[in-house]
Amino acid sequence: MDPKNSVDYLTYLQSQLDAFSSLFEEFMTMHVESSGFGGRGIMPAVFPADGVDADEIAAVTRKLDRTVGTLMELANITEVRINVQGIGPVDPFVNWNTIRQPKPVLEPVNVRSCVDQAAGRLEALLRRAQALESPALSPIQLHPLVWAPAQRLWNDGHFRPAVAAAAEAVNSQMKQLTGRNDAPDTSLWQQAFTKTDPEPGKPRLRWPGAPDDRDVTTMLDGLRQFAPGTNMVIRNPATHEQTELSEQVALEYLATLSVLARLLEQCEVHTVTPS
C-alpha cells in the first residue's frame, strides 16, 4: 500500500511530528540563536544558553534524534524539503542537528517552518486517505464459532491449519444440530438442506419462515449449494493438503466460513416424531 493512502501510518507520522516539534522547542529553550555578529552562516545557528546543564542538552538531543528516526519517510511523503544553495534539496528533519554545527545547513526558522508545512500536508493527506479508505476486515470480527478455534493457529502464522480448525468447528455445529455423524460431511450438509421432509433420525435444517414463501425457498436453495460447496472447496483442501495458504487467502476462507456459521445459527431444526 502507498503510505500516502494509509490512515494508520499517516496518523502515526502526525504523532511523531508533534513529538519532534515539542522536543525541538524544548531544545531551543536551552539555546540562544546566533546574532550573526562575526559571520552569519559561518558560526553555528544556536549556542547553549548560560547555566544550562550539558547533560540535559544531550538528553534532549538524543530524544530528538530518536524521534527523527521514525520520520525518515516524512520528507518523501510530504515533499517538504529545504533547497540549500550548493547542496540541493535537504531533508529538514533528518538534518535538524546541523543548526549546532559551524556553517549550518539549516537554522531554527527553517526547521520550524518545515514542521508547520509538514503538519499541514499530513493533515491534507490524512483527510484524503480517510476518504479513500476501504472497510477493513479483522479476523477477530468473524463469527466466534470460526475465530475461536482458529485464533491460536492464526496468531502463530499457521493459516491453513487455522482454516481447517474453523471449518471443523462449523461442521461440528451442523452435526450437533442434526444429531448426525453417520456420513461424510459433504453428504450431511446436502441431506440437512435437502428439499425432502425430515425422516426418523434425519432432521432437516430450514430457513425460518413460511415454507411457501419465495424468499425462504430461495435461501434454502442457496444453502443447499453453499454449505456443501464451502465444505468441498475450503474445508477439504485445508484439511487434506499440505500447501500453506497466504494470509489474504486464508482470511477470505475464514470470512466465507463465518458467513456460513451466521446463516447456520439462524436455521431451524425440523424433526419427525417416530410413529
Side-chain angles (χ1 to χ4, degrees):
M1 174 185 288
D2 186 342
K4 291 183 179 181
N5 296 328
S6 172
V7 172
D8 288 344
Y9 188 55
L10 292 173
T11 301
Y12 171 75
L13 286 181
Q14 276 189 324
S15 67
Q16 294 305 104
L17 181 59
D18 287 343
F20 173 84
S21 179
S22 296
L23 286 168
F24 184 76
E25 293 307 323
E26 182 179 354
F27 174 89
M28 289 302 298
T29 64
M30 301 176 178
H31 292 76
V32 293
E33 296 190 44
S34 171
S35 64
F37 180 76
R40 184 91 176 167
I42 296 177
M43 298 192 311
V46 297
F47 293 93
D50 292 339
V52 177
D53 189 280
D55 290 339
E56 293 182 14
I57 294 176
V60 174
T61 301
R62 285 195 299 271
K63 290 179 182 179
L64 270 166
D65 286 336
R66 185 179 182 86
T67 304
V68 164
T70 69
L71 298 174
M72 295 297 289
E73 292 297 321
L74 182 61
N76 290 333
I77 291 174
T78 61
E79 299 180 5
V80 171
R81 295 181 177 85
I82 292 289
N83 194 32
V84 179
Q85 185 175 5
I87 298 177
V90 170
D91 183 327
F93 311 106
V94 173
N95 294 284
W96 77 272
N97 211 358
T98 64
I99 64 175
R100 305 173 64 193
Q101 301 170 1
K103 297 184 179 180
V105 174
L106 301 175
E107 297 193 12
V109 65
N110 303 134
V111 178
R112 287 171 170 142
S113 175
C114 288
V115 165
D116 290 341
Q117 289 183 50
R121 294 189 185 185
L122 278 178
E123 183 177 349
L125 288 170
L126 183 57
R127 293 290 182 88
R128 177 178 177 273
Q130 289 170 335
L132 296 174
E133 190 175 29
S134 300
L137 175 62
S138 170
I140 199 172
Q141 297 171 320
L142 300 173
H143 192 286
L145 184 63
V146 169
W147 181 236
Q151 182 175 10
R152 181 180 60 81
L153 292 163
W154 183 275
N155 291 339
D156 289 341
H158 304 308
F159 301 127
R160 182 189 58 77
V163 172
E168 290 297 341
V170 177
N171 282 2
S172 295
Q173 180 67 7
M174 176 270 294
K175 294 174 185 177
Q176 182 177 343
L177 290 172
T178 60
R180 299 190 62 190
N181 193 21
D182 56 347
D185 291 350
T186 299
S187 178
L188 290 176
W189 280 112
Q190 292 168 334
Q191 294 179 53
F193 291 111
T194 184
K195 292 181 179 180
T196 61
D197 292 333
E199 304 172 20
K202 295 182 178 180
R204 307 302 187 204
L205 297 178
R206 294 291 183 257
W207 192 253
D212 57 351
D213 183 274
R214 182 175 180 180
D215 291 336
V216 173
T217 58
T218 297
M219 285 297 298
L220 189 58
D221 288 342
L223 285 165
R224 189 177 303 116
Q225 300 174 70
F226 177 59
T230 298
N231 189 70
M232 287 188 287
V233 303
I234 294 180
R235 181 266 179 191
N236 288 352
T239 301
H240 301 302
E241 296 179 5
Q242 297 302 313
T243 304
E244 186 54 89
L245 299 174
S246 69
E247 182 176 3
Q248 179 62 34
V249 169
L251 180 58
E252 292 172 10
Y253 284 173
L254 288 182
T256 303
L257 292 167
S258 181
V259 171
L260 179 56
R262 294 190 190 281
L263 294 172
L264 183 62
E265 71 178 356
Q266 298 178 65
C267 289
E268 299 173 348
V269 180
H270 288 199
T271 60
V272 61
T273 302
S275 55

